[in-house]
Every structure is written in structure tokens, then in C-alpha cells.
Amino acid sequence: MSAGRLIAVVGPSGVGKDSVMAGMIAARSDMRLVRRSITRAPGLGGEDYDALTQDAFANAAQSGAFCVYWTAHGLSYGIPADVLTDVQRSKDCLANFSRSALLQAAEIFPNLTILNITASPATLARRLAGRGRETEAEIAARLAQANKCLPVGLDVATIANDGALEDTVTMALAALQPARV
């Protein structure tokens, strides 16, 4: 039995992480799509998440409800603690992640794999404006973070998502396959 992995999907806002992840899950039903807890109002579109108030999030974090959690863009995000159990039971778990939380995740998940999704600045700007969740200033701030570096020493596969979604999903799945000798 092979060890499971936490596959942390990272990339700038608007790169299409949730769409790529949904396509990957549709193609690989043996993989778990992780549902995050976020201090965001419910029903804002994009990913399926558990909406928590900041107080409820702080209480959940303190009680051990998350194996990894972080703050970004004024929101708090948490990965449920049972993801660690699934990975230990040889399941691959796919989670939308923050680049700033990768080193924390690497300490907890020995088989951490990073799927780094990129796209051109024009593609990112168009997608951010299209989702209608941020102001122009917030979009500009997110675009300024688009080329943030990843920590060194991690297992990273990078793919571009400027074309057809099905092509990106195919590239993502291929990039996550173990190297054949």
C-alpha cells in the first residue's frame, strides 16, 4: 500500500484552482476533495466551504479542528484535522492552499505535493473581475501577489491554466503521477 499525499493546490487568486480541482476529482474519484473552513460569508460562489465567524474559527483552531490553518487577504482558512487521518490511510487529498502555509503543511504531511497553477496576468485580471467578489483595489492587491515565490525544497509541479480547462486537468493529473524509472 502506498502512502497517501496531501496535494496542496496553490496559485494566485483567479487562476482557476477550484475549477481544476473539480475536474481532477471528476477524473479521479479515489481522491478526496478537501472542504475548507473560511471566515467568509456563506454562498459567495467559487469553492464549497464551511463559513465560520472569526470567533468560531478561533475556537475551532484552538480545539484542534484543523491540521493546518492560516490567514490571507483578511480571511482565515482551515484544513480539517481528519485530512491527516485520510492521508495516513493512503488516500490522496486535494486541498486549495495558501503558498504562505506550505512550510507548516510540510511539517505535518511528509508526502506533501504542491500543484502550482499559473496563468497570464491578463487571464487572472479577467477572471477576478468576472467573479465579482472584489473591488478594483482588491483585485489589484491580489494581482500584485500573483508571482509570489514558493518555499524551496518542496515537491512542486507547475502547470499553466490559460487554455481549455480539460487540457489543464489532464496536465495536472499527469504532473502528479509518480516518476517511472
Side-chain angles (χ1 to χ4, degrees):
M1 180 181 280
S2 64
R5 299 177 288 179
L6 174 63
I7 301 166
V9 180
V10 299
S13 297
V15 81
K17 294 181 293 286
D18 295 316
S19 297
V20 172
M21 291 167 58
M24 293 171 68
I25 292 297
R28 289 262 324 266
S29 61
D30 60 318
M31 215 183 283
R32 173 186 173 183
L33 180 60
V34 174
R35 181 180 168 119
R36 302 186 298 177
S37 292
I38 307 174
T39 57
R40 177 188 295 152
L44 291 181
E47 73 181 286
D48 193 18
Y49 59 95
D50 292 323
L52 296 177
T53 65
Q54 191 61 51
D55 287 343
F57 188 94
N59 289 337
Q62 189 172 19
S63 70
F66 309 124
C67 56
V68 180
Y69 59 94
W70 64 91
T71 300
H73 306 292
L75 301 171
S76 295
Y77 300 82
I79 302 296
D82 69 341
V83 171
L84 181 56
T85 303
D86 277 356
V87 168
Q88 290 168 339
R89 292 182 177 156
S90 300
K91 187 153 190 86
D92 283 347
C93 295
L94 192 62
N96 187 332
F97 235 80
S98 171
R99 293 169 282 192
S100 66
L102 291 174
L103 291 177
Q104 178 189 1
E107 291 178 12
I108 297 164
F109 295 92
N111 291 329
L112 177 68
T113 300
I114 315 304
L115 178 61
N116 181 36
I117 304 176
T118 64
S120 70
T123 298
L124 295 175
R126 184 178 67 251
R127 289 179 183 160
L128 287 169
R131 70 186 188 182
R133 289 196 316 233
E134 295 98 356
T135 66
E136 284 186 33
E138 290 168 330
I139 289 172
R142 287 184 182 262
L143 289 173
Q145 295 290 315
N147 292 321
K148 190 185 235 181
C149 293
L150 296 174
V152 295
L154 299 177
D155 179 13
V156 178
T158 299
I159 60 166
N161 185 24
D162 285 299
L165 178 60
E166 53 273 4
D167 293 341
T168 304
V169 169
T170 299
M171 288 186 297
L173 292 169
L176 294 174
Q177 293 301 315
R180 289 180 169 66
V181 179

